[in-house]
PDB file of all heavy atoms in Angstrom:
ATOM      1  N   THR T   8       9.961   2.150   3.911  1.00 56.00           N
ATOM      2  CA  THR T   8       9.881   3.129   2.835  1.00 56.00           C
ATOM      3  C   THR T   8      10.641   4.391   3.185  1.00 56.00           C
ATOM      4  O   THR T   8      11.226   5.038   2.319  1.00 56.00           O
ATOM      5  CB  THR T   8       8.415   3.477   2.534  1.00 56.00           C
ATOM      6  OG1 THR T   8       7.776   3.912   3.741  1.00 56.00           O
ATOM      7  CG2 THR T   8       7.677   2.276   1.991  1.00 56.00           C
ATOM      8  N   SER T   9      10.652   4.777   4.459  1.00 53.00           N
ATOM      9  CA  SER T   9      11.380   5.985   4.848  1.00 53.00           C
ATOM     10  C   SER T   9      12.884   5.788   4.711  1.00 53.00           C
ATOM     11  O   SER T   9      13.616   6.718   4.404  1.00 53.00           O
ATOM     12  CB  SER T   9      11.026   6.373   6.285  1.00 53.00           C
ATOM     13  OG  SER T   9      11.418   5.356   7.189  1.00 53.00           O
ATOM     14  N   ILE T  10      13.352   4.550   4.925  1.00 54.00           N
ATOM     15  CA  ILE T  10      14.784   4.270   4.783  1.00 54.00           C
ATOM     16  C   ILE T  10      15.134   4.008   3.314  1.00 54.00           C
ATOM     17  O   ILE T  10      16.155   4.454   2.804  1.00 54.00           O
ATOM     18  CB  ILE T  10      15.184   3.053   5.644  1.00 54.00           C
ATOM     19  CG1 ILE T  10      14.999   3.375   7.117  1.00 54.00           C
ATOM     20  CG2 ILE T  10      16.623   2.643   5.381  1.00 54.00           C
ATOM     21  CD1 ILE T  10      15.263   2.198   8.027  1.00 54.00           C
ATOM     22  N   GLY T  11      14.282   3.272   2.628  1.00 54.00           N
ATOM     23  CA  GLY T  11      14.618   2.844   1.275  1.00 54.00           C
ATOM     24  C   GLY T  11      14.490   3.910   0.220  1.00 54.00           C
ATOM     25  O   GLY T  11      15.252   3.936  -0.739  1.00 54.00           O
ATOM     26  N   LYS T  12      13.543   4.811   0.331  1.00 57.00           N
ATOM     27  CA  LYS T  12      13.336   5.845  -0.678  1.00 57.00           C
ATOM     28  C   LYS T  12      14.190   7.050  -0.361  1.00 57.00           C
ATOM     29  O   LYS T  12      14.414   7.375   0.808  1.00 57.00           O
ATOM     30  CB  LYS T  12      11.861   6.241  -0.741  1.00 57.00           C
ATOM     31  CG  LYS T  12      10.972   5.166  -1.344  1.00 57.00           C
ATOM     32  CD  LYS T  12       9.555   5.686  -1.475  1.00 57.00           C
ATOM     33  CE  LYS T  12       8.660   4.645  -2.123  1.00 57.00           C
ATOM     34  NZ  LYS T  12       7.277   5.119  -2.272  1.00 57.00           N
ATOM     35  N   PRO T  13      14.649   7.763  -1.407  1.00 57.00           N
ATOM     36  CA  PRO T  13      14.475   7.420  -2.813  1.00 57.00           C
ATOM     37  C   PRO T  13      15.611   6.585  -3.384  1.00 57.00           C
ATOM     38  O   PRO T  13      15.563   6.191  -4.543  1.00 57.00           O
ATOM     39  CB  PRO T  13      14.461   8.789  -3.487  1.00 57.00           C
ATOM     40  CG  PRO T  13      15.397   9.586  -2.648  1.00 57.00           C
ATOM     41  CD  PRO T  13      15.241   9.090  -1.217  1.00 57.00           C
ATOM     42  N   GLY T  14      16.633   6.313  -2.558  1.00 62.00           N
ATOM     43  CA  GLY T  14      17.823   5.660  -3.070  1.00 62.00           C
ATOM     44  C   GLY T  14      17.667   4.200  -3.406  1.00 62.00           C
ATOM     45  O   GLY T  14      17.614   3.813  -4.575  1.00 62.00           O
ATOM     46  N   PHE T  15      17.560   3.354  -2.375  1.00 65.00           N
ATOM     47  CA  PHE T  15      17.595   1.910  -2.582  1.00 65.00           C
ATOM     48  C   PHE T  15      16.455   1.430  -3.468  1.00 65.00           C
ATOM     49  O   PHE T  15      16.666   0.660  -4.411  1.00 65.00           O
ATOM     50  CB  PHE T  15      17.552   1.195  -1.241  1.00 65.00           C
ATOM     51  CG  PHE T  15      17.435  -0.290  -1.358  1.00 65.00           C
ATOM     52  CD1 PHE T  15      18.534  -1.060  -1.673  1.00 65.00           C
ATOM     53  CD2 PHE T  15      16.208  -0.926  -1.164  1.00 65.00           C
ATOM     54  CE1 PHE T  15      18.425  -2.444  -1.792  1.00 65.00           C
ATOM     55  CE2 PHE T  15      16.097  -2.297  -1.280  1.00 65.00           C
ATOM     56  CZ  PHE T  15      17.209  -3.055  -1.589  1.00 65.00           C
ATOM     57  N   MET T  16      15.227   1.861  -3.189  1.00 63.00           N
ATOM     58  CA  MET T  16      14.074   1.339  -3.914  1.00 63.00           C
ATOM     59  C   MET T  16      14.095   1.740  -5.380  1.00 63.00           C
ATOM     60  O   MET T  16      13.737   0.953  -6.253  1.00 63.00           O
ATOM     61  CB  MET T  16      12.777   1.804  -3.252  1.00 63.00           C
ATOM     62  CG  MET T  16      12.528   1.182  -1.895  1.00 63.00           C
ATOM     63  SD  MET T  16      10.888   1.566  -1.235  1.00 63.00           S
ATOM     64  CE  MET T  16       9.850   0.725  -2.419  1.00 63.00           C
ATOM     65  N   VAL T  17      14.530   2.963  -5.676  1.00 62.00           N
ATOM     66  CA  VAL T  17      14.575   3.412  -7.069  1.00 62.00           C
ATOM     67  C   VAL T  17      15.635   2.640  -7.836  1.00 62.00           C
ATOM     68  O   VAL T  17      15.415   2.189  -8.971  1.00 62.00           O
ATOM     69  CB  VAL T  17      14.841   4.927  -7.133  1.00 62.00           C
ATOM     70  CG1 VAL T  17      15.074   5.370  -8.574  1.00 62.00           C
ATOM     71  CG2 VAL T  17      13.669   5.698  -6.533  1.00 62.00           C
ATOM     72  N   ILE T  18      16.827   2.476  -7.233  1.00 65.00           N
ATOM     73  CA  ILE T  18      17.899   1.727  -7.896  1.00 65.00           C
ATOM     74  C   ILE T  18      17.484   0.271  -8.082  1.00 65.00           C
ATOM     75  O   ILE T  18      17.690  -0.327  -9.150  1.00 65.00           O
ATOM     76  CB  ILE T  18      19.200   1.832  -7.087  1.00 65.00           C
ATOM     77  CG1 ILE T  18      19.696   3.279  -7.077  1.00 65.00           C
ATOM     78  CG2 ILE T  18      20.268   0.910  -7.671  1.00 65.00           C
ATOM     79  CD1 ILE T  18      20.904   3.501  -6.191  1.00 65.00           C
ATOM     80  N   ASP T  19      16.901  -0.314  -7.063  1.00 67.00           N
ATOM     81  CA  ASP T  19      16.462  -1.698  -7.134  1.00 67.00           C
ATOM     82  C   ASP T  19      15.398  -1.877  -8.202  1.00 67.00           C
ATOM     83  O   ASP T  19      15.418  -2.847  -8.972  1.00 67.00           O
ATOM     84  CB  ASP T  19      15.919  -2.124  -5.768  1.00 67.00           C
ATOM     85  CG  ASP T  19      16.038  -3.623  -5.561  1.00 67.00           C
ATOM     86  OD1 ASP T  19      16.980  -4.219  -6.109  1.00 67.00           O
ATOM     87  OD2 ASP T  19      15.195  -4.183  -4.857  1.00 67.00           O
ATOM     88  N   GLN T  20      14.480  -0.937  -8.263  1.00 64.00           N
ATOM     89  CA  GLN T  20      13.396  -0.994  -9.239  1.00 64.00           C
ATOM     90  C   GLN T  20      13.931  -0.923 -10.666  1.00 64.00           C
ATOM     91  O   GLN T  20      13.313  -1.440 -11.597  1.00 64.00           O
ATOM     92  CB  GLN T  20      12.430   0.182  -8.997  1.00 64.00           C
ATOM     93  CG  GLN T  20      11.239   0.226  -9.925  1.00 64.00           C
ATOM     94  CD  GLN T  20      10.008  -0.410  -9.318  1.00 64.00           C
ATOM     95  OE1 GLN T  20      10.075  -0.960  -8.224  1.00 64.00           O
ATOM     96  NE2 GLN T  20       8.904  -0.326 -10.003  1.00 64.00           N
ATOM     97  N   ALA T  21      15.082  -0.307 -10.854  1.00 62.00           N
ATOM     98  CA  ALA T  21      15.608  -0.068 -12.191  1.00 62.00           C
ATOM     99  C   ALA T  21      16.013  -1.356 -12.903  1.00 62.00           C
ATOM    100  O   ALA T  21      16.036  -1.393 -14.125  1.00 62.00           O
ATOM    101  CB  ALA T  21      16.811   0.874 -12.124  1.00 62.00           C
ATOM    102  N   TYR T  22      16.336  -2.410 -12.146  1.00 73.00           N
ATOM    103  CA  TYR T  22      16.801  -3.612 -12.822  1.00 73.00           C
ATOM    104  C   TYR T  22      15.959  -4.863 -12.542  1.00 73.00           C
ATOM    105  O   TYR T  22      15.716  -5.649 -13.454  1.00 73.00           O
ATOM    106  CB  TYR T  22      18.264  -3.895 -12.454  1.00 73.00           C
ATOM    107  CG  TYR T  22      18.473  -4.377 -11.047  1.00 73.00           C
ATOM    108  CD1 TYR T  22      18.446  -5.732 -10.750  1.00 73.00           C
ATOM    109  CD2 TYR T  22      18.688  -3.484 -10.003  1.00 73.00           C
ATOM    110  CE1 TYR T  22      18.627  -6.183  -9.452  1.00 73.00           C
ATOM    111  CE2 TYR T  22      18.876  -3.926  -8.710  1.00 73.00           C
ATOM    112  CZ  TYR T  22      18.847  -5.277  -8.432  1.00 73.00           C
ATOM    113  OH  TYR T  22      19.013  -5.712  -7.149  1.00 73.00           O
ATOM    114  N   PHE T  23      15.473  -5.029 -11.302  1.00 81.00           N
ATOM    115  CA  PHE T  23      14.872  -6.332 -11.030  1.00 81.00           C
ATOM    116  C   PHE T  23      13.478  -6.455 -11.634  1.00 81.00           C
ATOM    117  O   PHE T  23      13.085  -7.539 -12.070  1.00 81.00           O
ATOM    118  CB  PHE T  23      14.882  -6.645  -9.527  1.00 81.00           C
ATOM    119  CG  PHE T  23      13.731  -6.080  -8.747  1.00 81.00           C
ATOM    120  CD1 PHE T  23      12.580  -6.806  -8.554  1.00 81.00           C
ATOM    121  CD2 PHE T  23      13.819  -4.811  -8.172  1.00 81.00           C
ATOM    122  CE1 PHE T  23      11.533  -6.293  -7.806  1.00 81.00           C
ATOM    123  CE2 PHE T  23      12.780  -4.308  -7.424  1.00 81.00           C
ATOM    124  CZ  PHE T  23      11.628  -5.043  -7.243  1.00 81.00           C
ATOM    125  N   MET T  24      12.707  -5.369 -11.708  1.00 84.00           N
ATOM    126  CA  MET T  24      11.400  -5.461 -12.337  1.00 84.00           C
ATOM    127  C   MET T  24      11.540  -5.617 -13.846  1.00 84.00           C
ATOM    128  O   MET T  24      10.758  -6.333 -14.485  1.00 84.00           O
ATOM    129  CB  MET T  24      10.553  -4.231 -12.011  1.00 84.00           C
ATOM    130  CG  MET T  24      10.039  -4.181 -10.582  1.00 84.00           C
ATOM    131  SD  MET T  24       9.168  -5.680 -10.060  1.00 84.00           S
ATOM    132  CE  MET T  24       7.894  -5.814 -11.301  1.00 84.00           C
ATOM    133  N   THR T  25      12.561  -4.975 -14.434  1.00 85.00           N
ATOM    134  CA  THR T  25      12.831  -5.175 -15.857  1.00 85.00           C
ATOM    135  C   THR T  25      13.165  -6.630 -16.123  1.00 85.00           C
ATOM    136  O   THR T  25      12.770  -7.210 -17.145  1.00 85.00           O
ATOM    137  CB  THR T  25      13.987  -4.271 -16.306  1.00 85.00           C
ATOM    138  OG1 THR T  25      13.656  -2.908 -16.038  1.00 85.00           O
ATOM    139  CG2 THR T  25      14.248  -4.420 -17.799  1.00 85.00           C
ATOM    140  N   GLY T  26      13.897  -7.248 -15.197  1.00 88.00           N
ATOM    141  CA  GLY T  26      14.203  -8.669 -15.334  1.00 88.00           C
ATOM    142  C   GLY T  26      12.961  -9.544 -15.296  1.00 88.00           C
ATOM    143  O   GLY T  26      12.845 -10.515 -16.055  1.00 88.00           O
ATOM    144  N   PHE T  27      12.012  -9.191 -14.442  1.00 91.00           N
ATOM    145  CA  PHE T  27      10.761  -9.948 -14.396  1.00 91.00           C
ATOM    146  C   PHE T  27       9.992  -9.818 -15.711  1.00 91.00           C
ATOM    147  O   PHE T  27       9.402 -10.790 -16.190  1.00 91.00           O
ATOM    148  CB  PHE T  27       9.893  -9.463 -13.232  1.00 91.00           C
ATOM    149  CG  PHE T  27      10.374  -9.937 -11.889  1.00 91.00           C
ATOM    150  CD1 PHE T  27      10.214  -9.142 -10.771  1.00 91.00           C
ATOM    151  CD2 PHE T  27      10.977 -11.167 -11.746  1.00 91.00           C
ATOM    152  CE1 PHE T  27      10.655  -9.570  -9.523  1.00 91.00           C
ATOM    153  CE2 PHE T  27      11.421 -11.617 -10.510  1.00 91.00           C
ATOM    154  CZ  PHE T  27      11.264 -10.811  -9.396  1.00 91.00           C
ATOM    155  N   PHE T  28       9.971  -8.622 -16.289  1.00 93.00           N
ATOM    156  CA  PHE T  28       9.290  -8.444 -17.572  1.00 93.00           C
ATOM    157  C   PHE T  28      10.014  -9.205 -18.682  1.00 93.00           C
ATOM    158  O   PHE T  28       9.385  -9.721 -19.611  1.00 93.00           O
ATOM    159  CB  PHE T  28       9.185  -6.959 -17.917  1.00 93.00           C
ATOM    160  CG  PHE T  28       8.044  -6.267 -17.227  1.00 93.00           C
ATOM    161  CD1 PHE T  28       8.262  -5.383 -16.195  1.00 93.00           C
ATOM    162  CD2 PHE T  28       6.736  -6.503 -17.614  1.00 93.00           C
ATOM    163  CE1 PHE T  28       7.218  -4.744 -15.547  1.00 93.00           C
ATOM    164  CE2 PHE T  28       5.674  -5.874 -16.976  1.00 93.00           C
ATOM    165  CZ  PHE T  28       5.916  -4.990 -15.940  1.00 93.00           C
ATOM    166  N   PHE T  29      11.344  -9.278 -18.599  1.00 93.00           N
ATOM    167  CA  PHE T  29      12.109 -10.055 -19.575  1.00 93.00           C
ATOM    168  C   PHE T  29      11.722 -11.528 -19.499  1.00 93.00           C
ATOM    169  O   PHE T  29      11.495 -12.177 -20.529  1.00 93.00           O
ATOM    170  CB  PHE T  29      13.608  -9.887 -19.315  1.00 93.00           C
ATOM    171  CG  PHE T  29      14.479 -10.724 -20.219  1.00 93.00           C
ATOM    172  CD1 PHE T  29      14.895 -10.225 -21.439  1.00 93.00           C
ATOM    173  CD2 PHE T  29      14.874 -12.004 -19.846  1.00 93.00           C
ATOM    174  CE1 PHE T  29      15.693 -10.994 -22.280  1.00 93.00           C
ATOM    175  CE2 PHE T  29      15.672 -12.776 -20.673  1.00 93.00           C
ATOM    176  CZ  PHE T  29      16.080 -12.264 -21.890  1.00 93.00           C
TER     177      PHE T  29
END
Side-chain angles (χ1 to χ4, degrees):
T8 55
S9 62
I10 295 175
K12 289 185 178 180
F15 174 78
M16 291 188 65
V17 172
I18 295 174
D19 206 31
Q20 181 96 356
Y22 72 90
F23 85 91
M24 287 308 304
T25 302
F27 285 147
F28 279 108
F29 176 89

